[in-house]
Structure formats: structure tokens, C-alpha cells
């Protein structure tokens, strides 16, 4: 553990961070610093403001939190600070909550932000030696609170840190380009994680997928020499009362297939396994934290590539459910593989709840932008609990309808359903209606369209990169389910 909880910083903490809210108490809280009058002029504690001063030989960072910071603000502010300052920080750094009067309830978010701030996108850079980096040495962050030793504070710091380490692993997987990450690489990730953290993982290779009738998954994979696979994970705990299915879209690269995408921004389609990444991360973290739940994770994974053998627009394919599907657009591949994932979950398990996550539609991005993922559900209380976890974690969700007004859009003249209505309207909703067919009237299902939130702008790079969206959201939600 990088974080340790202390009642008083030791001499070894060569630099100290203090956090302050922008409120009426700020002036009094700053009074103990030298030149306090001048300081209050310069430091207003606006969100993300960083002010540097010296106390004796110690470097002191005052960090502003803004007016009424919430969990997501603590995460973001600490993450950004550590990311930007990691080259200047000494081996041991103090982070004091006392002067700013920061409550213990924020410790988990603070710990999480500090560690996620260590993230480095330069996985494939060859010259790593030159830079002096806090996180690459033996970093220690002493968290100073008035009531150290309290078990729950230590536990919160530990949870924040463990969450961060899984988020980082998920981000590495998301950011990996398609020549370093094929469906089997996702399977390997799951197997290794399962062995390390104690949950079971079964991998169905292409042959097995064909044999058991995952026909839609196999059809999508035809355009690639990289074979598809189907990952089934199971984590359980003796005190589990609920059995929850998590299904994630694992397209390791989406060219669009024969309905080829335009090339601008096509490189971002290495992230089309964001749903899979969220499921992998959530199950790993649930196992690490030993959450009292029973989870079934299902990941259909493939490339959507282009070749003479690719499925063609107009092709009719089968599916695990037995239903036939007319493929109007080969770029609407996510819903095809999810159809098999959802039917498999439905037919092989008695689940209390099913949540699927997918970078499914550009339409969802057009609707909600990058601020929230689309939430589709047939269950009011599930809508409420997921929405609340979104607000709490900052991994926000906004509900869109599943009304039957949109159902006719799926009617095919030649097959049971078609995968695209061919119109530039309500794309995210029609995609969700398509999935609903394969959920087969399960009464407690939610679909999260994370196309706009899985990959985003951040301090980590000049282009969009992984956000690990879904890991904190689902873990928060699972912790509230028990
Ligand atoms: N992977 C894409 C959706 C996507 C778009 C994810 C932008 C992340 C960012 C998906 O497979 C896709 O191509 N959807 C099409 C569906 C259409 C052809 C019906 C889309 O949204 O344009
Ligand atoms: Zn697509
Ligand atoms: Zn896709």
C-alpha cells in the first residue's frame, strides 16, 4: 500500500499537501501559515487551484477543492494534482486533512485520485529512464487525520487504492492498440485475474462458440483472422444473496466491417471493448474487496474487421436464442454479439438482475455527449439505484426510453429482426430495443450505452484515452445491493 494513515506526519514527509474548500472558514484555516493575509489574497481554494509555499525546509502545496466538493471532485482534483506533479514530488509526501477540516467520508475518493494520478499512457515508449517520477520509486503518502488508527479510515484508504489499481489495469487494456490486444488477450487477462483474485473463468474458443450456437458472435468474427472467444466469469461469496449478470461488449477493434467506417477517428475504435473492460474490472475488484455478491460476467469478444469472408449487408445470420437476424449494417455489430451474450446469460443462469455495458452507438454520444452514459431499463428501482450510483461516483447515467413506439423499427421482411432501421433517428434507443428482444422479458435488466464515456479527454494525454468508466459506478452499486 502506498497510502498509510497517520495521526501526525513524520519528519520523512518532505512535502505536504493541504486540501481546502472554498467557504467562509477558509480565512481562519489559513491563519496559521506565515503571511496569512497575503496568502488569502492569492489562494481562494477554487477547484484545482494549486498554491506552493515553503515551511522551513518543507514544500507545501495548498490545493483548492471549490465550493462543495463531492466524491467525483475529490477524485478528479487529486488525480490531476498527482499526475501533473509526479516529477517534482519527494519519496514521502504528507497529505493532511486536518487544517482543511476534510471529513473522513472523502478518504476513499482522495486515496483513489492519488493513485489513479500515477497513470502513464506511454506504455510503448522506449525511453523511460530519463524522468524522475514519484510513483516509480518507493512512494509513500502519509494521510494525516485527527483520528488515525480508526479501522474504517484505514479501510477506506485501502479500498480507494485497490480500486485505483484495478482501474489502471483496465485503462491499460482499453488503451492498448488492436495489434497488442485481440480477443484472446482479453481472455488471458480474465484468466490471470481470476487466478490471482480467486474467481473462476471459462474461455470458449471459436470451435466451442460454433458448437454451442453463438452464431451471431461467430458471424461478426468472420472478417478477422483473430478468432473470437466467449468469456464466462463467476465470482461468489458465501454471504451472497443476489446473483447478478454483467455482460460486456468486447469488440477489440471496430472497422465497421463491409459497412466500413470513415477513417477520421477510426483509431479510437480500439476502445470498442469498453463494456468488456468495465465488466472485467468490476469482477476483479469485487473479488479483491470480497463483496458479498454472486456475479456472472459474460464477455463476447471479437474484432469487427473487413475481409472477403466478412458478413455482408443484407446477410441473414442465426443467434444463440434461435432467432434469425438480418444484418442491414455490419457496423451495428455490438448488438449482434451482445444478443448472444444476453441470451446465454438468460438461458444458463437464474439471474436476479442483468446489466449490460457497451460502447454501442454514436447516437448516444450525439444525445448525451461525454458527460453521461445512456441508461435503458425496464425496472424503476434499478433505474433509481443505478442513477444514484452514477451521481455519487461521477460516472453519470441518464435515462432514455424503451417505449414500444420504437419496436417496429426492428421488423425485418426476411428474418425475425433486423439490426438497423436505416434511419438517422433514435439510434441509441433502437439499439436498446434490439437488445431487449434477447433479454427475453427478464424483469430486471439495464443496458448502459457507454460510447461517450468509456474514452475521454483528460490530463493523461493529448487525445482521448480510457476512463475506466463503469468500474467505480458498478462497484458502488454492488456495494449498495447487499
Ligand atoms: N462501436 C460503435 C459505436 C461507437 C461510436 C462507439 C462512437 C464509440 C464511439 C458501434 O459499433 C457502431 O458502429 N454503431 C453504429 C451503429 C449504426 C451503424 C446503426 C453507429 O452508432 O453509428
Ligand atoms: Zn460498429
Ligand atoms: Zn462497435
Amino acid at each position: 500500500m502506498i497510502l498509510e494513515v497517520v495521526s501526525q506526519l513524520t519528519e520523512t514527509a518532505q512535502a505536504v499537501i493541504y486540501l481546502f474548500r472554498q467557504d467562509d472558514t477558509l480565512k481562519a484555516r489559513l491563519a496559521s501559515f506565515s503571511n496569512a493575509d497575503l496568502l488569502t489574497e492569492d489562494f481562494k481554494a477554487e477547484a484545482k487551484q494549486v498554491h506552493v509555499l515553503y515551511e522551513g525546509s518543507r514544500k507545501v502545496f495548498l490545493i483548492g477543492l471549490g465550493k462543495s466538493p463531492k466524491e467525483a471532485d475529490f477524485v478528479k482534483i487529486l488525480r490531476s494534482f498527482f499526475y501533473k506533479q509526479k516529477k517534482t514530488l519527494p519519496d514521502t509526501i504528507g497529505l493532511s486533512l486536518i487544517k482543511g477540516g476534510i471529513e473522513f467520508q472523502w478518504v476513499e475518493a482522495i486515496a483513489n485520485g492519488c493513485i489513479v494520478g500515477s497513470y502513464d499512457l506511454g506504455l510503448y515508449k522506449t525511453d523511460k529512464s530519463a524522468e524522475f517520477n514519484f510513483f516509480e520509486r518507493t512512494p509513500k503518502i502519509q494521510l494525516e487525520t485527527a483520528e488515525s488508527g480508526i479501522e474504517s479510515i484505514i479501510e477506506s484508504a485501502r479500498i480507494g487504492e485497490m480500486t485505483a489499481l484495478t482501474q489502471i489495469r483496465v485503462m491499460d487494456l482499453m488503451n492498448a492498440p488492436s495489434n497488442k490486444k485481440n480477443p484472446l488477450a482479453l481472455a488471458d487477462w480474465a484468466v490471470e485475474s481470476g487466478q490471482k483474485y480467486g474467481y473462476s473463468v471459462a474461455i470458449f474458443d471459436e470451435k466451442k462458440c460454433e458448437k454451442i450456437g453463438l452464431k451471431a458472435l461467430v458471424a461478426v468474427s468472420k472478417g478477422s483472422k483473430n478468432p473470437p472467444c466467449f468469456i464466462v466469469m463467476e465470482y461468489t461469496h458465501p454471504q451472497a444473496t443476489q446473483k447478478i449478470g454483467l455482460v460486456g461488449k468486447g469488440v477489440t477493434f471496430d472497422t465497421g466491417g463491409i459497412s466500413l467506417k470513415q477513417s477520421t477517428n477510426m483509431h479510437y475504435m480500439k476502445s470498442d471493448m469498453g463494456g468488456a473492460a468495465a465488466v472485467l474490472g468490476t469482477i476483479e475488484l469485487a473479488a479483491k474487496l470480497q463483496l458479498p455478491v454472486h456475479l456472472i460476467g459474460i464477455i463476447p469478444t471479437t474484432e469487427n474487421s473487413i475481409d472477403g469472408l466478412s458478413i455482408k449487408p443484407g446477410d441473414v445470420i442465426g443467434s444463440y436464442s434461435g432467432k434469425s437476424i438480418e444484418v442491414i449494417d455490419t457496423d451495428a455489430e455490438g448488438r449482434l454479439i451482445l444478443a448472444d451474450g444476453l441470451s446465454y446469460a438468460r438461458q444458463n443462469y437464474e439471474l436476479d438482475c442483468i446489466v449490460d455495458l457497451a460502447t454501442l452507438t454514436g447516437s448516444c454520444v450525439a444525445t448525451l455527449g461525454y458527460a453521461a452514459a445512456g441508461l435503458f431499463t425496464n425496472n424503476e428501482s434499478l433505474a433509481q439505484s443505478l442513477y444514484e450510483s452514477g451521481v455519487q461516483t461521477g460516472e453519470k447515467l441518464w435515462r432514455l426510453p424503451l417505449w414500444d413506439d420504437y419496436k417496429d423499427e426492428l421488423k425485418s421482411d426476411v428474418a425475425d429482426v433486423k439490426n438497423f432501421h436505416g434511419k438517422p433517428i433514435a439510434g441509441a434507443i433502437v439499439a436498446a430495443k434490439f437488445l431487449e428482444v434477447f433479454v427475453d422479458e427478464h424483469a430486471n435488466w439495464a443496458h448502459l450505452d457507454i460510447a461517450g464515456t468509456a474514452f475521454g479527454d483528460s490530463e493523461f494525454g493529448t487525445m482521448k484515452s480510457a476512463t475506466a468508466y463503469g468500474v467505480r459506478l458498478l462497484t458502488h452499486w454492488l456495494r449498495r445491493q447487499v
Side-chain angles (χ1 to χ4, degrees):
M1 292 283 128
I2 292 177
L3 269 124
E4 57 189 13
V5 179
V6 299
S7 57
Q8 199 171 22
L9 300 178
T10 66
E11 287 294 311
T12 51
Q14 299 130 311
V16 185
I17 299 165
Y18 296 103
L19 305 175
F20 293 99
R21 285 194 186 84
Q22 188 176 18
D23 62 16
D24 308 342
T25 69
L26 181 64
K27 205 170 172 195
R29 292 188 186 285
L30 294 176
S32 67
F33 290 100
S34 46
N35 297 319
D37 284 344
L38 292 173
L39 182 58
T40 44
E41 286 300 306
D42 285 350
F43 181 70
K44 305 280 185 210
E46 281 144 8
K48 288 198 177 183
Q49 187 186 356
V50 176
H51 184 89
V52 181
L53 51 91
Y54 292 88
E55 271 186 328
S57 60
R58 256 185 189 162
K59 189 169 183 177
V60 173
F61 296 94
L62 309 184
I63 301 182
L65 298 169
K67 289 206 167 87
S68 44
K70 302 282 179 318
E71 181 175 319
D73 305 302
F74 279 96
V75 169
K76 252 192 234 153
I77 290 168
L78 271 302
R79 187 184 80 184
S80 159
F81 173 82
F82 272 87
Y83 183 78
K84 289 182 185 146
Q85 298 289 341
K86 65 186 174 188
K87 295 191 178 113
T88 68
L89 299 176
D91 286 5
T92 300
I93 175 153
L95 202 168
S96 180
L97 305 185
I98 300 171
K99 284 196 182 175
I102 307 301
E103 302 81 357
F104 311 128
Q105 79 180 100
W106 307 115
V107 166
E108 184 182 325
I110 290 169
N112 185 258
C114 294
I115 309 300
V116 176
S118 71
Y119 192 64
D120 181 6
L121 269 177
L123 214 57
Y124 307 105
K125 287 193 194 287
T126 52
D127 183 12
K128 299 228 182 211
S129 60
E131 312 267 18
F132 188 70
N133 177 346
F134 174 70
F135 289 100
E136 279 163 17
R137 288 170 279 134
T138 41
K140 274 277 169 241
I141 302 171
Q142 294 185 350
L143 194 68
E144 186 185 43
T145 80
E147 296 175 63
S148 83
I150 289 182
E151 268 318 302
S152 67
I153 302 175
I154 297 173
E155 180 65 2
S156 296
R158 196 182 70 96
I159 293 175
E161 185 164 349
M162 290 210 288
T163 305
L165 296 177
T166 289
Q167 286 174 282
I168 286 172
R169 276 165 50 66
V170 161
M171 283 151 69
D172 275 343
L173 196 59
M174 283 283 280
N175 290 323
S178 87
N179 63 334
K180 310 275 184 193
K181 166 185 71 189
N182 55 32
L184 291 179
L186 295 199
D188 288 344
W189 195 102
V191 168
E192 280 165 28
S193 169
Q195 280 167 355
K196 190 157 178 204
Y197 299 110
Y199 61 92
S200 70
V201 179
I203 306 297
F204 302 169
D205 62 8
E206 185 173 22
K207 263 213 179 104
K208 173 102 189 254
C209 292
E210 276 167 4
K211 192 164 159 228
I212 66 169
L214 294 164
K215 290 182 184 163
L217 171 64
V218 172
V220 171
S221 78
K222 287 296 176 201
S224 175
K225 286 206 172 67
N226 283 317
C229 68
F230 195 76
I231 306 171
V232 181
M233 296 171 282
E234 180 160 7
Y235 159 74
T236 192
H237 185 279
Q239 268 128 45
T241 53
Q242 287 216 56
K243 197 173 192 176
I244 295 166
L246 300 176
V247 182
K249 168 178 173 181
V251 172
T252 55
F253 195 87
D254 183 9
T255 66
I258 300 288
S259 316
L260 189 62
K261 286 186 182 296
Q262 56 174 153
S263 57
T264 325
N265 289 336
M266 204 209 271
H267 58 99
Y268 286 141
M269 284 301 123
K270 66 181 182 181
S271 69
D272 207 17
M273 31 59 74
V279 171
L280 289 167
T282 302
I283 295 191
E284 171 170 296
L285 188 55
K288 277 208 266 189
L289 301 178
Q290 287 290 296
L291 299 186
V293 286
H294 189 164
L295 297 178
I296 305 294
I298 290 174
I299 295 173
T301 171
T302 178
E303 270 181 9
N304 185 24
S305 207
I306 183 162
D307 178 81
L309 293 177
S310 292
I311 42 168
K312 318 289 186 306
D315 283 2
V316 176
I317 62 173
S319 66
Y320 190 79
S321 68
K323 289 195 162 67
S324 59
I325 304 169
E326 183 182 11
V327 180
I328 300 296
D329 193 309
T330 65
D331 197 11
E333 84 299 339
R335 63 198 77 180
L336 299 176
I337 70 168
L338 282 174
D340 277 359
L342 289 164
S343 306
Y344 185 89
R346 206 62 185 91
Q347 290 181 30
N348 294 278
Y349 299 92
E350 276 301 323
L351 297 166
D352 296 305
C353 178
I354 305 176
V355 179
D356 78 72
L357 298 98
T359 46
L360 204 62
T361 67
S363 157
C364 192
V365 188
T367 306
L368 297 172
Y370 304 105
L375 164 64
F376 299 85
T377 177
N378 52 5
N379 186 298
E380 299 306 310
S381 84
L382 184 58
Q384 190 63 27
S385 61
L386 281 168
Y387 172 77
E388 282 170 13
S389 289
V391 171
Q392 287 282 317
T393 56
E395 296 190 346
K396 294 194 284 298
L397 290 165
W398 191 255
R399 196 167 178 190
L400 295 170
L402 270 175
W403 296 317
D404 276 341
D405 305 56
Y406 301 95
K407 202 169 161 188
D408 286 351
E409 304 291 1
L410 301 172
K411 275 192 184 149
S412 161
D413 294 333
V414 299
D416 296 334
V417 279
K418 63 185 177 196
N419 77 334
F420 178 41
H421 59 334
K423 300 175 193 168
I425 53 167
I429 303 173
V430 174
K433 289 303 280 180
F434 179 90
L435 299 181
E436 188 185 42
V437 172
F438 299 89
V439 171
D440 198 17
E441 299 185 348
H442 192 291
N444 199 15
W445 160 66
H447 157 60
L448 316 187
D449 191 333
I450 63 170
T453 53
F455 230 53
D457 293 319
S458 72
E459 60 274 13
F460 297 135
T462 59
M463 300 198 304
K464 289 186 192 308
S465 65
T467 60
Y469 181 96
V471 175
R472 283 175 53 248
L473 170 73
L474 291 179
T475 308
H476 184 276
W477 177 74
L478 288 171
R479 283 162 75 188
R480 285 188 39 186
Q481 293 309 295
V482 299

